Amino acid sequence: MIIAVDGPAASGKGTLAEGLAEHYQLPHLDTGLLYRAVGLMVADDLESPDFTERAIAAARALKPGQLPERKQLTSAGAGVLASHVAVIREVREAMRDYQRNFALQPGGAVLDGRDIGTVVCPEADVKLFIVADSKARMERRARQLEARGLTVDRYALYHQIEERDARDSANPNGGFYKADDAHLLDTTLLDIQAALRAAVAIVDGVVARREKP
Ligand code: C5P
């Protein structure tokens, strides 16, 4: 079974995808980490006139099995850098095969990102599109960062999330929208356990309908 979990920054899709992977005993790929790794590889080139070429070269050289440590990948800065490299068509193409192969492994997988249900794996068995309002997403991300001992400027974080959403939604090469056959899950008012229960109910419902004679 392939489960695609898409949604904007800090919507809870990563935590949900991890929970679903554990629940259904499937391997999980957080595809945002790939874009974040490429972003970090060209962090010093953002203002360079060759930024696009360097980002493409970095994406083609990326070894998904050897990513930087998680703390570095999940920093707010890496998220912003990721959204800059993610608008480049060749960067997305360079990483698509790896994501598709991961999805198509025997037994299936759970992948989370922005374009899993639309581009990477349109044939996924179950597609979830996770949303939450910007304030709730900012607060969740702020708490995650504070749990790591970081000081958070909530105003700046809110704007960073909005700016990233805008860049992602306008990405001409992105495929960041809800697939027609995706199930919308709004987690604004749900804690993680409630959101996971809702996601499992959706997946179980799809499976039950498919198994009906
Ligand atoms: O999901 P996460 O916040 O880690 O993603 C970081 C950035 O990587 C996103 O803002 C987006 O620009 C990009 N991304 C993407 N397609 C994906 C996953 C992430 O464009 N499948």
Side-chain angles (χ1 to χ4, degrees), residues 131-143:
V131 293
D133 78 29
S134 306
K135 253 191 173 163
R137 293 189 284 132
M138 178 279 288
E139 193 52 42
R140 280 178 199 159
R141 185 52 52 89
R143 288 188 189 163

PDB file of all heavy atoms in Angstrom, residues 131-143:
ATOM      1  N   VAL A 131      -3.991  20.093   6.009  1.00  0.00           N
ATOM      2  CA  VAL A 131      -3.939  21.547   6.134  1.00  0.00           C
ATOM      3  C   VAL A 131      -4.134  21.942   7.600  1.00  0.00           C
ATOM      4  O   VAL A 131      -4.622  21.147   8.416  1.00  0.00           O
ATOM      5  CB  VAL A 131      -5.023  22.245   5.268  1.00  0.00           C
ATOM      6  CG1 VAL A 131      -4.764  22.052   3.788  1.00  0.00           C
ATOM      7  CG2 VAL A 131      -6.431  21.760   5.636  1.00  0.00           C
ATOM      8  N   ALA A 132      -3.715  23.165   7.906  1.00  0.00           N
ATOM      9  CA  ALA A 132      -3.970  23.742   9.239  1.00  0.00           C
ATOM     10  C   ALA A 132      -3.757  25.231   9.056  1.00  0.00           C
ATOM     11  O   ALA A 132      -2.969  25.634   8.184  1.00  0.00           O
ATOM     12  CB  ALA A 132      -2.992  23.192  10.280  1.00  0.00           C
ATOM     13  N   ASP A 133      -4.432  26.066   9.854  1.00  0.00           N
ATOM     14  CA  ASP A 133      -4.273  27.495   9.577  1.00  0.00           C
ATOM     15  C   ASP A 133      -2.866  27.948   9.963  1.00  0.00           C
ATOM     16  O   ASP A 133      -2.170  27.302  10.744  1.00  0.00           O
ATOM     17  CB  ASP A 133      -5.423  28.328  10.157  1.00  0.00           C
ATOM     18  CG  ASP A 133      -5.315  28.581  11.644  1.00  0.00           C
ATOM     19  OD1 ASP A 133      -4.189  28.621  12.176  1.00  0.00           O
ATOM     20  OD2 ASP A 133      -6.374  28.762  12.265  1.00  0.00           O
ATOM     21  N   SER A 134      -2.466  29.084   9.369  1.00  0.00           N
ATOM     22  CA  SER A 134      -1.068  29.526   9.488  1.00  0.00           C
ATOM     23  C   SER A 134      -0.645  29.746  10.934  1.00  0.00           C
ATOM     24  O   SER A 134       0.486  29.449  11.310  1.00  0.00           O
ATOM     25  CB  SER A 134      -0.855  30.828   8.730  1.00  0.00           C
ATOM     26  OG  SER A 134      -1.281  30.706   7.428  1.00  0.00           O
ATOM     27  N   LYS A 135      -1.575  30.276  11.749  1.00  0.00           N
ATOM     28  CA  LYS A 135      -1.216  30.564  13.147  1.00  0.00           C
ATOM     29  C   LYS A 135      -0.929  29.264  13.899  1.00  0.00           C
ATOM     30  O   LYS A 135       0.024  29.176  14.669  1.00  0.00           O
ATOM     31  CB  LYS A 135      -2.369  31.297  13.826  1.00  0.00           C
ATOM     32  CG  LYS A 135      -2.088  32.747  14.060  1.00  0.00           C
ATOM     33  CD  LYS A 135      -3.165  33.258  14.959  1.00  0.00           C
ATOM     34  CE  LYS A 135      -2.899  34.665  15.394  1.00  0.00           C
ATOM     35  NZ  LYS A 135      -4.125  35.255  15.915  1.00  0.00           N
ATOM     36  N   ALA A 136      -1.784  28.259  13.681  1.00  0.00           N
ATOM     37  CA  ALA A 136      -1.587  26.972  14.354  1.00  0.00           C
ATOM     38  C   ALA A 136      -0.267  26.346  13.902  1.00  0.00           C
ATOM     39  O   ALA A 136       0.480  25.779  14.716  1.00  0.00           O
ATOM     40  CB  ALA A 136      -2.753  26.034  14.034  1.00  0.00           C
ATOM     41  N   ARG A 137       0.031  26.472  12.623  1.00  0.00           N
ATOM     42  CA  ARG A 137       1.283  25.880  12.116  1.00  0.00           C
ATOM     43  C   ARG A 137       2.487  26.600  12.704  1.00  0.00           C
ATOM     44  O   ARG A 137       3.480  25.979  13.086  1.00  0.00           O
ATOM     45  CB  ARG A 137       1.296  25.932  10.582  1.00  0.00           C
ATOM     46  CG  ARG A 137       0.229  25.016  10.007  1.00  0.00           C
ATOM     47  CD  ARG A 137       0.344  24.868   8.517  1.00  0.00           C
ATOM     48  NE  ARG A 137      -0.132  26.016   7.786  1.00  0.00           N
ATOM     49  CZ  ARG A 137       0.516  26.620   6.803  1.00  0.00           C
ATOM     50  NH1 ARG A 137       1.705  26.191   6.442  1.00  0.00           N
ATOM     51  NH2 ARG A 137       0.000  27.633   6.170  1.00  0.00           N
ATOM     52  N   MET A 138       2.395  27.920  12.800  1.00  0.00           N
ATOM     53  CA  MET A 138       3.498  28.692  13.378  1.00  0.00           C
ATOM     54  C   MET A 138       3.730  28.268  14.826  1.00  0.00           C
ATOM     55  O   MET A 138       4.855  28.050  15.252  1.00  0.00           O
ATOM     56  CB  MET A 138       3.160  30.184  13.286  1.00  0.00           C
ATOM     57  CG  MET A 138       4.193  31.117  13.878  1.00  0.00           C
ATOM     58  SD  MET A 138       4.086  31.265  15.655  1.00  0.00           S
ATOM     59  CE  MET A 138       2.587  32.235  15.819  1.00  0.00           C
ATOM     60  N   GLU A 139       2.623  28.111  15.581  1.00  0.00           N
ATOM     61  CA  GLU A 139       2.739  27.779  16.998  1.00  0.00           C
ATOM     62  C   GLU A 139       3.383  26.395  17.172  1.00  0.00           C
ATOM     63  O   GLU A 139       4.239  26.194  18.026  1.00  0.00           O
ATOM     64  CB  GLU A 139       1.345  27.842  17.635  1.00  0.00           C
ATOM     65  CG  GLU A 139       1.340  27.822  19.141  1.00  0.00           C
ATOM     66  CD  GLU A 139       2.247  28.862  19.787  1.00  0.00           C
ATOM     67  OE1 GLU A 139       2.283  30.013  19.329  1.00  0.00           O
ATOM     68  OE2 GLU A 139       2.949  28.490  20.756  1.00  0.00           O
ATOM     69  N   ARG A 140       2.977  25.449  16.316  1.00  0.00           N
ATOM     70  CA  ARG A 140       3.571  24.096  16.400  1.00  0.00           C
ATOM     71  C   ARG A 140       5.067  24.136  16.115  1.00  0.00           C
ATOM     72  O   ARG A 140       5.863  23.543  16.829  1.00  0.00           O
ATOM     73  CB  ARG A 140       2.952  23.188  15.343  1.00  0.00           C
ATOM     74  CG  ARG A 140       1.621  22.665  15.744  1.00  0.00           C
ATOM     75  CD  ARG A 140       1.083  21.816  14.618  1.00  0.00           C
ATOM     76  NE  ARG A 140      -0.344  21.680  14.774  1.00  0.00           N
ATOM     77  CZ  ARG A 140      -1.173  21.355  13.797  1.00  0.00           C
ATOM     78  NH1 ARG A 140      -0.706  21.160  12.581  1.00  0.00           N
ATOM     79  NH2 ARG A 140      -2.446  21.239  14.028  1.00  0.00           N
ATOM     80  N   ARG A 141       5.427  24.859  15.034  1.00  0.00           N
ATOM     81  CA  ARG A 141       6.839  24.924  14.679  1.00  0.00           C
ATOM     82  C   ARG A 141       7.631  25.642  15.771  1.00  0.00           C
ATOM     83  O   ARG A 141       8.734  25.223  16.130  1.00  0.00           O
ATOM     84  CB  ARG A 141       6.973  25.636  13.315  1.00  0.00           C
ATOM     85  CG  ARG A 141       8.358  25.693  12.710  1.00  0.00           C
ATOM     86  CD  ARG A 141       9.096  24.395  12.600  1.00  0.00           C
ATOM     87  NE  ARG A 141       8.449  23.279  11.955  1.00  0.00           N
ATOM     88  CZ  ARG A 141       8.506  23.010  10.656  1.00  0.00           C
ATOM     89  NH1 ARG A 141       9.144  23.797   9.848  1.00  0.00           N
ATOM     90  NH2 ARG A 141       7.937  21.928  10.173  1.00  0.00           N
ATOM     91  N   ALA A 142       7.033  26.691  16.367  1.00  0.00           N
ATOM     92  CA  ALA A 142       7.701  27.439  17.433  1.00  0.00           C
ATOM     93  C   ALA A 142       7.993  26.508  18.612  1.00  0.00           C
ATOM     94  O   ALA A 142       9.089  26.496  19.168  1.00  0.00           O
ATOM     95  CB  ALA A 142       6.828  28.603  17.881  1.00  0.00           C
ATOM     96  N   ARG A 143       7.000  25.672  18.956  1.00  0.00           N
ATOM     97  CA  ARG A 143       7.194  24.764  20.107  1.00  0.00           C
ATOM     98  C   ARG A 143       8.262  23.719  19.814  1.00  0.00           C
ATOM     99  O   ARG A 143       9.033  23.348  20.696  1.00  0.00           O
ATOM    100  CB  ARG A 143       5.876  24.116  20.498  1.00  0.00           C
ATOM    101  CG  ARG A 143       4.990  25.145  21.145  1.00  0.00           C
ATOM    102  CD  ARG A 143       3.748  24.560  21.727  1.00  0.00           C
ATOM    103  NE  ARG A 143       2.867  25.654  22.139  1.00  0.00           N
ATOM    104  CZ  ARG A 143       1.590  25.546  22.391  1.00  0.00           C
ATOM    105  NH1 ARG A 143       1.015  24.380  22.289  1.00  0.00           N
ATOM    106  NH2 ARG A 143       0.881  26.587  22.757  1.00  0.00           N
TER     107      ARG A 143
END
